[in-house]
Amino acid sequence: MAPAVTARRGRGRSSAWKGSAVGVGEVVAQLTRMHAELAQRDARRGEHPHSRNCVMNLVVAVSDDRGRAAEASRVVEAVAATHPLRAVVVHLVPGRARAGGRIEAEVTAESRMLLSGAPIEREQILLHVRGEARRHLFSLVEPLLVPDVPTYLWWTGSPPLGDRDSPLGLADVLIVDSAAFARPFDSFQELAALAARGPAGPGVGDLQWARLRAWRETLAQVFAAAERRPLLERLSAAGVDYVGQGRGNRAGAALLVGWLASALGWRLQGARGDSAGAVSARLETAAGRAVDVELRAVVGEGLAEGEVAAVRVQGEAGGQSFSLAIARGGESTAYADLEFRMGDTPAIRQRLQFGRLSETELVLRLIQEARRDEVFLPALEAAAALLGAI
């Protein structure tokens, strides 16, 4: 067990401690001591020690190697630059537990002073957990949380959505990446069922949903003009291309179709899929008109498996056909090419910026939006219904 080390960093201070074969009680004791020391040092002469400055708990569960745990720790540090927090990064290590079920722990406490004199604090605990202790994360993590602030649980792999003894009960908001599920179809259905619990369950945020924001905003903006809004009621077909075969890669494309369906009031009538990754579905508008939807697996140069490569919609209004196509890939995945056609008028073509957001930016976006995303939830429900019908 290493003694705590306190250092000065710019306009603040930090303190660090490591311990092996320790219990949760020892980790709590070290946190308490480190916070008290930093609060006392930050106080000006004659002032009382500063109270804890914390707006949230962020729990991160990592089941990959130590490198992934280190990446998650760096994301936490970036989030803490704007959100004073206590973070618990739990590294689920394969292998047998040490004697007595004890754990390895690393604790960092940092306080940075703003120009106003108020401190911004980050308290971060990294736990390496093995063996039987992996099955009791709720009781392991719960004593480490700051009370009376929201708790965000970011599960970087496949969360135990169907496990009654899972640590999901800790969370006010669960953050996942449906593109990283080991059992994509089953986990996606379980995620939809969890979100459907409403206030009885945690809020749900999906990194894959956040990645689709540029697609959703572009589609919405094309039809935002008053003269184009009626076209939405006359859509007759929609298509989404996604990268990589295998039904697990369909989740992002299905989410995009689910968003369209929930926003426009389409009802699923039936769907079928084939081994090559193609999906055909028939939906019906509130007015009873049919909308044919197609998902296709493609090879997308420069795009990761599961990413959306292209979106197409078309219809007919006032005796004129119209179509919209947006495509990424090729020379630069940071851009997308848009083409809108209406009857015999010249096509409108644009090149749009479609840059990728970093993992830190995605997590920050979900922290800000995911307490109860009223757009995501019906889109998730419609996407789950589509995938379940195949």
Side-chain angles (χ1 to χ4, degrees):
M1 184 182 302
V5 176
T6 302
R8 185 183 296 274
R9 295 182 60 183
R11 291 180 54 83
R13 295 177 180 271
S14 66
S15 183
W17 171 86
K18 292 184 179 181
S20 59
V22 299
V24 174
E26 176 65 14
V27 177
V28 173
Q30 292 292 338
L31 268 172
T32 302
R33 179 187 58 76
M34 293 163 70
H35 170 75
E37 290 179 356
L38 288 177
Q40 186 63 54
R41 289 192 178 98
D42 287 340
R44 295 171 180 163
R45 180 173 298 183
E47 289 183 340
H48 293 292
H50 290 127
S51 59
R52 174 173 281 111
N53 184 4
C54 180
V55 300
M56 59 183 285
N57 296 300
L58 177 58
V59 181
V60 187
V62 181
S63 55
D64 301 302
D65 58 22
R66 285 178 180 257
R68 186 68 180 103
E71 290 173 9
S73 294
R74 286 191 287 271
V75 172
V76 168
E77 188 170 358
V79 172
T82 54
H83 294 71
L85 56 76
R86 174 174 289 181
V88 184
V89 180
V90 184
H91 177 211
L92 304 172
V93 185
R96 299 178 61 183
R98 299 192 174 200
R102 292 178 172 250
I103 55 179
E104 296 176 55
E106 302 175 26
V107 180
T108 301
E110 181 182 57
S111 177
R112 294 182 295 105
M113 302 301 293
L114 301 177
L115 292 176
S116 63
I120 292 290
E121 297 180 3
R122 171 176 65 99
E123 297 174 313
Q124 185 166 329
I125 307 105
L126 173 59
L127 305 178
H128 300 286
V129 183
R130 293 178 172 81
E132 185 65 19
R134 291 162 52 103
R135 298 168 56 88
H136 303 286
L137 291 188
F138 188 103
S139 57
L140 189 67
V141 172
E142 195 274 338
L144 301 174
L145 302 180
V146 176
D148 302 322
V149 295
T151 296
Y152 293 80
L153 172 57
W154 172 26
W155 205 287
T156 63
S158 296
L161 295 167
D163 186 354
R164 292 184 178 181
D165 297 324
S166 77
L168 302 187
L170 292 167
D172 295 293
V173 176
L174 171 66
I175 296 175
V176 299
D177 185 355
S178 59
F181 288 164
R183 298 180 299 110
F185 176 79
D186 293 335
S187 295
F188 198 83
Q189 300 297 319
E190 291 169 353
L191 183 66
L194 178 66
R197 290 168 55 186
V204 176
D206 184 357
L207 297 183
Q208 182 148 239
W209 171 255
R211 293 188 195 100
L212 293 172
R213 183 167 182 168
W215 293 99
R216 293 184 282 118
E217 289 182 343
T218 302
L219 282 163
Q221 288 168 5
V222 169
F223 295 100
E227 64 272 17
R228 289 184 186 166
R229 288 177 202 163
L231 301 181
L232 292 171
E233 300 176 2
R234 308 302 301 181
L235 290 173
S236 60
V240 181
D241 294 347
Y242 63 93
V243 179
Q245 294 187 9
R247 65 180 186 176
N249 292 323
R250 298 170 179 165
L255 268 175
L256 199 53
V257 171
W259 169 69
L260 282 170
S262 60
L264 299 177
W266 298 348
R267 298 183 298 272
L268 179 66
Q269 302 300 302
R272 67 178 187 275
D274 63 27
S275 58
V279 173
S280 298
R282 172 64 61 89
L283 292 90
E284 187 177 83
T285 69
R289 288 188 297 272
V291 180
D292 293 317
V293 172
E294 180 184 39
L295 308 184
R296 300 187 310 192
V298 298
V299 176
E301 184 180 348
L303 299 176
E305 288 200 355
E307 282 197 84
V308 171
V311 175
R312 302 169 300 281
V313 296
Q314 64 185 54
E316 185 174 332
Q320 290 186 314
S321 63
F322 64 90
S323 65
L324 169 66
I326 310 167
R328 282 182 73 198
E331 296 179 0
S332 175
T333 57
Y335 297 90
D337 292 312
L338 178 151
E339 181 180 273
F340 178 77
R341 292 182 176 272
M342 183 73 185
D344 297 327
T345 60
I348 298 173
R349 295 184 176 90
Q350 290 181 304
R351 170 155 282 197
L352 307 173
Q353 192 165 4
F354 250 55
R356 284 191 181 96
L357 294 178
S358 68
E359 192 170 51
T360 300
E361 291 170 321
L362 292 171
V363 170
L364 274 169
R365 179 166 289 178
L366 290 179
I367 286 173
Q368 294 164 358
E369 300 176 354
R371 286 298 290 272
R372 188 62 58 184
D373 188 335
E374 300 298 339
V375 178
F376 170 62
L377 298 181
L380 175 61
E381 181 181 2
L386 173 60
L387 293 177
I390 301 170

